[in-house]
Amino acid sequence: CGNPREHVMTDKMRLAVFPGMFDPVTNGHLDVIRRGATLFDELVVAVGDNPDKTPLLPQADRAAILREIVADMPNVRVETFLGLTVDFARKLGATAILRGIRNSSDLQFEFQVALTNRVVAGVETVFIMTSTEYAFTSSSLIRQIASMGGDVSALVPPQALKRIRAACRKSNADHTLHETH
């Protein structure tokens, strides 16, 4: 009974990639991960590196923090990657790229990327609207607040807080050292 193609499709594992710099990971990211994990058989949190940016935390540290955070989520794993997200997604055999949307500016940018990824690589993008309590949160804002000694504990998972504070202390000490010489 039914269309045999539909049966084949339902037997295929639905793997999605949630890419980002996660510098640092935020409670908003964690919200998208938790909700995305319910939509897919497997979710790969893909920690990227952008050569045009100087991250607060090295890629390996960002991945380690995320592995701690998702340790209790059996269908979520963390991997690092370099290069284009769509190439990484194809390599894994992902059926979708998962993206969180906070506002209309995010949507405008992500819409263009999603269309391009579908045309270039045949990979769909699934958008999850962020929960309202995280709509204002961004990693760059958190980095700025933390670097100036502000309290970001309400904005990031506890696993990330200690590393963020240590990285900011080191960065501020390095900056002070350079100013005195």
Side-chain angles (χ1 to χ4, degrees), residues 17-21 29 85 97-118 123-129:
V17 172
F18 178 43
M21 289 278 293
H29 292 133
T85 299
I97 295 172
L98 177 65
R99 300 298 295 166
I101 301 292
R102 293 172 298 185
N103 53 45
S104 60
S105 297
D106 282 355
L107 183 60
Q108 186 174 5
F109 172 77
E110 293 294 346
F111 181 76
Q112 183 178 14
V113 173
L115 290 176
T116 303
N117 287 343
R118 188 171 26 164
V123 177
E124 292 292 340
T125 301
V126 173
F127 297 113
I128 292 182
M129 297 303 298

Side-chain angles (χ1 to χ4, degrees), residues 55-119:
L56 176 64
L57 300 168
Q59 185 182 37
D61 287 358
R62 290 179 271 136
I65 292 167
L66 278 157
R67 285 186 184 104
E68 285 178 49
I69 292 168
V70 304
D72 65 341
M73 299 178 199
N75 67 327
V76 178
R77 74 177 197 262
V78 177
E79 293 194 23
T80 59
F81 76 102
L82 297 172
L84 296 174
T85 299
V86 72
D87 289 341
F88 182 71
R90 263 196 311 217
K91 182 180 118 184
L92 294 179
T95 55
I97 295 172
L98 177 65
R99 300 298 295 166
I101 301 292
R102 293 172 298 185
N103 53 45
S104 60
S105 297
D106 282 355
L107 183 60
Q108 186 174 5
F109 172 77
E110 293 294 346
F111 181 76
Q112 183 178 14
V113 173
L115 290 176
T116 303
N117 287 343
R118 188 171 26 164
V119 169

Side-chain angles (χ1 to χ4, degrees), residues 27-58:
N27 288 334
H29 292 133
L30 184 54
D31 176 54
V32 171
I33 292 167
R34 283 189 179 127
R35 292 168 50 217
T38 67
L39 300 174
F40 299 96
D41 299 317
E42 186 173 8
L43 179 62
V44 175
V45 179
V47 182
D49 226 358
N50 184 337
D52 296 332
K53 294 184 178 179
T54 304
L56 176 64
L57 300 168

